[in-house]
């Protein structure tokens, strides 16, 4: 379980990179698809595993596996596009970098805001008791995927008006 916990952030971050890259290239359908697949497969798979009587170890392995597969599936196009694109025209690199950094900082702030409670509770309670808090909290967090995806797509368009 600890090895899963160590591997998961790497894959999750790379999947986030692929989603941010897609949004930065104004491929909002791809960005949203990445987020929906990440959320849907992880949440749906966890519910399925729990219904089969599997424990936290199986859910952790599923989490790492889903994010590793999504990383392979969606990071490859990012690397291919970067290799094919060559150098960006003057002015585009700065705009793209600025948007990417802003998107990353928003995601980082969101993570810090919504993960801090789990870190504090996890430091004080056994892992089994933390799970009773985490399952409802994660379900509520996942409900915010669609509104946050819409915000990431709409705010840049509104700023140009």
């Amino acid at each position: 379980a600890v090895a899963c916990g160590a591997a998961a952030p790497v894959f999750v971050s790379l999947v986030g990179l692929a989603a941010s890259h897609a949004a930065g290239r104004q491929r909002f359908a791809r960005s949203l698809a990445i987020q929906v697949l990440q959320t849907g497969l992880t949440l749906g798979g966890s519910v399925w595993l729990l219904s089969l009587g599997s424990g936290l170890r199986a859910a952790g392995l599923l989490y790492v596996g889903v994010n590793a597969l999504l990383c392979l599936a969606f990071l490859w196009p990012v690397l291919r596009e970067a290799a094919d694109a060559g150098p960006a025209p003057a002015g585009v690199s700065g705009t793209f970098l600025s948007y990417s950094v802003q998107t990353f900082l928003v995601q980082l702030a969101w993570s810090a805001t919504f993960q801090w409670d789990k870190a504090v509770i996890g430091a004080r309670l056994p892992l089994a008791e933390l799970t009773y808090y985490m399952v409802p909290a994660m379900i509520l967090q996942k409900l915010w995927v669609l509104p946050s995806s819409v915000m990431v797509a709409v705010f840049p368009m509104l700023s140009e008006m």
Side-chain angles (χ1 to χ4, degrees), residues 7-97:
V10 173
F11 294 124
V12 171
S13 296
L14 291 173
V15 171
L17 171 71
S20 294
H21 180 268
R25 305 270 299 180
Q26 296 189 1
R27 295 191 176 126
F28 300 116
R30 183 188 297 177
S31 178
L32 183 59
I34 293 169
Q35 294 175 24
V36 168
L37 281 171
Q38 186 179 34
T39 300
L41 292 174
T42 302
L43 189 57
S46 296
V47 168
W48 178 68
L49 286 173
L50 289 174
S51 71
L52 294 175
S54 298
L56 189 58
R57 179 173 164 75
L61 289 171
L62 172 78
Y63 186 70
V64 171
V66 163
N67 284 290
L69 289 173
L70 290 175
C71 179
L72 290 173
F74 288 105
L75 196 58
W76 179 251
V78 169
L79 296 174
R80 192 178 66 230
E81 284 177 9
D84 292 344
V92 172
S93 294
T95 303
F96 183 74
L97 180 63

Side-chain angles (χ1 to χ4, degrees), residues 12 38 66 79 86-87 91 103-104 107 114 127 130 134-135 137 142 147 149-151 155-156 160:
V12 171
Q38 186 179 34
V66 163
L79 296 174
T103 302
F104 172 73
Q107 289 176 348
F114 288 102
L127 190 57
L130 176 63
M134 290 263 315
V135 171
K142 299 305 177 185
S149 299
V150 169
M151 288 183 347
F155 280 157
E160 292 181 9

Side-chain angles (χ1 to χ4, degrees), residues 101-111 151-152:
V101 168
Q102 288 173 8
T103 302
F104 172 73
L105 291 175
V106 167
Q107 289 176 348
L108 187 63
W110 183 88
S111 294
M151 288 183 347
V152 167

